[in-house]
Amino acid sequence: MVAIADTAEALLPAAAPRMLRYRQLLSGARFDPAAYFNSFARWMPFKLGESKADAAIPYVLADELVEAAQQAAQEFLALVKRRKEGEPAREVAIYLENQPRRLPPWRLFPGRLGEGSYLASVAARALRMDPLLDAGLVEAWLSRGTSANLFVEQLHALASQALETDLNSGVDLPYLYVLTLAMGALVEDLKQHAKTAQIRGVTYDRLEKALGFLYYVTIDELFDRLLQPLPGRGLPFETESYALRVRVAMNPLAFCSIRKSVLFNDLNPYAISTPWEATLEPLFADLLGPDSDPRGIETRLQKLILSESGLAEAALAQGRLAHMREAVLAFLTRFDAYDANVTASLVSSASRDEDLAQLPRQSKELLAAVAPLSHRRLGPHEAAALHNLREALTGEADRARLVSFATVGFIAHALDRFVVEQLDQARARLRDRRSEFSPQRRQQEYDQGTLYRFSADGLPFLRSASRANQGHLFIDLKGFTQRTYRAKEVVMAEFMRSEFYAPILRAARAHLSTPGADGQPALTLQNLLGDAAVFSGDVRALVRLARDIQQHLAGYAEKLRVRMGPVAAEAEQRMRTVRAEADDAILKLQTEQSMIEAEMARKRHLPPAAQEELLWDLYARRAFALEKRRSDAELSGQGAEVERLVRAESALQQERAALTETLEVLTGAERQAHIDERICAPERARRAEIQREVASFTENTRVMLRALEEEARSASGFGLEAGLFVTYGAAAERVELDDPGFGAVRVAIAEKINEAARGTARSAPIRAKLEALLERARARKPTMELPFFVYVDQTYSFVFSPELTALVDAAVAKKDPAQAAEASRMLAEGVQHDVARMMGKPDPAAPGLLTVLNDIYNVGEAFSEEALEAFLRETRATRFAFRRGFSQAELHPDFRERYLFTDDAIQLCISVPLSGDLADTLIFRLAGHVHFRGFEAKRATAVYELLRPNSGFVKLLAHHHLRTWLNDARSGAAMGRPGSNPG
């Protein structure tokens, strides 16, 4: 293989720079392409998405950069049109208001542009990309004063700032890499101009490809020149891999929309043809098997080609064309003005392989024409160009070198196709907000630190805005679905308007005139849902709103008590009727069961002879019944039924014969037990039916009573029951959409809003546990009640293994007592093992059947600990707060006579105005700690209930204890006791 030397004299394949980058990339250990190209998002200071897999980067490019790029694209299309359709007539051109820029003649040599200049390098690379690109057109497009030149200047400043930002972070930031991806997205958007262009003889696929390749070489040359000085800067960290990632990301296919057409032109970035690619593709796939090392793929492919004569000849033919084109272009760059005939011959052949293949036939004339150049004093570049042209025309190039020309282009194209798929995925992580947001919204997002703004104005790409915290209140109406089912939508809509939406909004509106701590309105309505509302703002205003909502709920309950008294009485009467009917029906079934069991006992106490006589009498009755039914079927002409009954009679005879044989070999107690089982079979079957009927009737009655209880409860004053939860944390993000069909749409997103929504749950298992405890307490004292409205507790549930599930299903389906007993045994053993595991005892046999459920039952006003602490902190200047913990035994006996306490220890946080007015006391009770669903990775949330001031518990507390506790706390604060005031 011919090494690619970094010298001016070497004649290199067109794709040599790409292959040099890939050789560097593959020279180390194996790497994960997805991680290499797609992991950049996790390095960014701000990102969208909840996980690494869906992380995305919101960004916007500077307006002046985008506008310059768009104008440059339009100017390019205008230049192509002029090149293809001719310049405007002279007499027309002089009347044009804006005279078009001079378009140099079509040429393939950039030498006049100044050797080594940026413009000359872009032109030299562009004319190897696409037949529509020539050095004259590139010069007109990119020269000083054009939009393309302005675009390059702005991009240079932007890329320089991105590079320096990355270097200042120790290349931990990937801003330049992100900018590279964004450039591909920008050029993709510019293709819309090519779709509307009308140029005679030029299709869209040709236009978009030429436009994309021109921007590719323009940006790639710019970025490469920025990265070249890095090794000489002597930075204390490694920059080679940083630069390589950016260089590899500058992929020509990333700037081409119709990638399958890249090789349709003979002149393309890889200097290979479509047939040659089709020939090597299967060989390349075999060489890149799952166990092969990609680092040696280039050498292995060249050896394979040279080992097969057919492949070698095809490679030599392809290599000669690529070598010839590079030799021609190199010669024209140095000697375009030497001889007009030589220049014309070479220029006319460079774009088409067919014409290039004919040049050796003119070699004698061409070599004779350039022979005098040998006698001149030439520099190394000119001498190399002349030598390479002679070598190409005479076919003297080394075979291995020609094969290298053919394979380098193919491998570069194959690797580019693979890498561009990774780059597409990486680019999909970018969220360009230009088309989504208005300029004002983009500025707002940037100011908030949620948008990357790529501009060369010296401002940071991402602002580190201090994100203010705020409170979030979520209120959820309970029983909304059942109430809608009963009342229907129209009635329910009016109910919600008058008794839910309007009162809550009215209560919240009272706080709009009072600004919060940050100068913003104290409350913001984030969402109003079918049965819920969300407010955000100052946590002090949210506490007041929670109390206002309490008062409204209490007032509505009292109004219902007055209005719905007869309805409640009727519901109570219906409940008594259902209970009485259920008791009567169950009593009848139980009476029948008792009679059946008495009959079974009578049969068992008959003498053995009488039992056998009864046994055969049962068979005779069954035979007689079958015979009668068969006769009736024959008389009515039911042929199928007759056949079925004949089979049944035959089966009964066989059963009786089998029983006779069995009894002949049995004696004593075993024979007696067999007879007992047979003569009691009808009673046993009916008893099982009765037991199933009793169980079903009991369950149906329970469901009906629960529904009637809910109806009675609703009618008696609890018809507007809601759970409310207040959290405190990062301010909500507002997503604003302007949809042409649905208009302005606003959505508020905040982690703490989600947490507040979870906190309004009413856990059915916890409610069932509370009701069971209350039912037991009322059995001893009927007046007992629960003191609170928010409970946090844990219960247990079973998660059956597949084996246990199958066993239970089989037992139920087959009514098999043995399988039922086995299922019970497995369940008991599993629970025993799980309990041992929960006790901290290592038990490898623990199947994980038992699951702990930690949840909340909230029909009150709950606060997270963060919200409570924020309230105490913000009211420190006006209120005195203290904590008090006690056991229920320390409370006055009146409490224990009236309330059922589920926990012995009670923790309160009490906030009193500095004036000492106990009427404005706020009491928060620690309800417990809960892991909300979706927040399992965080520590458990401490939940406090804001006790209702009109509740019996608070009234008793104020009567018996509150003043004493307040005096104790104040004297403790005065004496400097630690922890007396948590605020």
Side-chain angles (χ1 to χ4, degrees), residues 99 174 246 248 250 278 296 302 365 367 428 489 579 587 611 666 678 686 696 698 811 886 918 925:
Q99 291 293 327
V246 175
V248 173
M250 282 304 302
Q302 289 190 19
E365 295 82 0
L367 290 175
E489 287 78 3
R579 287 195 184 98
L587 179 60
Q611 286 185 338
L666 296 177
R678 292 303 181 99
R686 177 56 187 156
S696 176
T698 302
F886 52 87
L918 293 183
R925 176 189 69 93

Side-chain angles (χ1 to χ4, degrees), residues 186-338:
L186 173 62
V187 175
E188 183 70 26
D189 292 339
L190 298 179
K191 303 294 181 67
Q192 61 181 335
H193 299 295
K195 291 181 179 179
T196 59
Q198 300 291 328
I199 302 177
R200 187 168 58 246
V202 183
T203 59
Y204 166 72
D205 62 328
R206 292 186 62 196
L207 268 183
E208 76 85 13
K209 186 168 51 175
L211 177 65
F213 285 156
L214 179 57
Y215 272 94
Y216 160 71
V217 295
T218 300
I219 300 170
D220 185 59
E221 183 68 25
L222 172 62
F223 283 10
D224 192 60
R225 289 178 178 240
L226 282 175
L227 295 171
Q228 282 177 4
L230 282 187
R233 291 180 61 171
L235 297 173
F237 43 81
E238 195 271 327
T239 58
E240 184 176 358
S241 59
Y242 164 83
L244 182 61
R245 191 186 308 269
V246 175
R247 286 182 166 124
V248 173
M250 282 304 302
N251 185 315
L253 298 183
F255 292 79
C256 181
S257 301
I258 309 175
R259 294 167 184 167
K260 63 181 181 181
S261 66
V262 169
L263 303 183
F264 284 2
N265 297 324
D266 292 339
L267 182 62
N268 60 68
Y270 306 99
I272 61 172
S273 64
T274 301
W276 176 241
E277 182 197 38
T279 300
L280 291 190
E281 190 66 38
L283 302 177
F284 187 73
D286 291 341
L287 290 175
L288 274 183
D291 299 325
S292 62
D293 187 347
R295 288 175 292 185
I297 186 66
E298 188 178 355
T299 302
R300 298 201 306 275
L301 182 61
Q302 289 190 19
K303 287 182 178 179
L304 177 61
I305 291 173
L306 292 173
S307 67
E308 299 185 16
S309 59
L311 280 176
E313 290 303 318
L316 289 173
Q318 182 69 57
R320 287 191 186 96
L321 292 174
H323 183 264
M324 180 72 75
R325 179 171 284 112
E326 285 299 320
V328 167
L329 293 176
F331 181 83
L332 290 175
T333 300
R334 305 295 173 184
F335 302 106
D336 65 288
Y338 167 69

Side-chain angles (χ1 to χ4, degrees), residues 53 237 369 384 639 644 719 908:
F237 43 81
R644 189 187 69 80
L908 299 181

Side-chain angles (χ1 to χ4, degrees), residues 581-582 584-593 596 685-702 815:
E581 291 176 352
D584 288 344
I586 292 175
L587 179 60
K588 289 179 181 179
L589 291 171
Q590 291 175 341
T591 301
E592 183 182 354
Q593 181 175 336
I596 289 173
R686 177 56 187 156
R687 183 178 63 179
E689 291 178 3
I690 290 174
Q691 291 172 344
R692 287 193 295 271
E693 289 178 15
V694 168
S696 176
F697 203 85
T698 302
E699 177 62 19
N700 292 338
T701 302
R702 187 188 67 78
K815 302 178 177 58

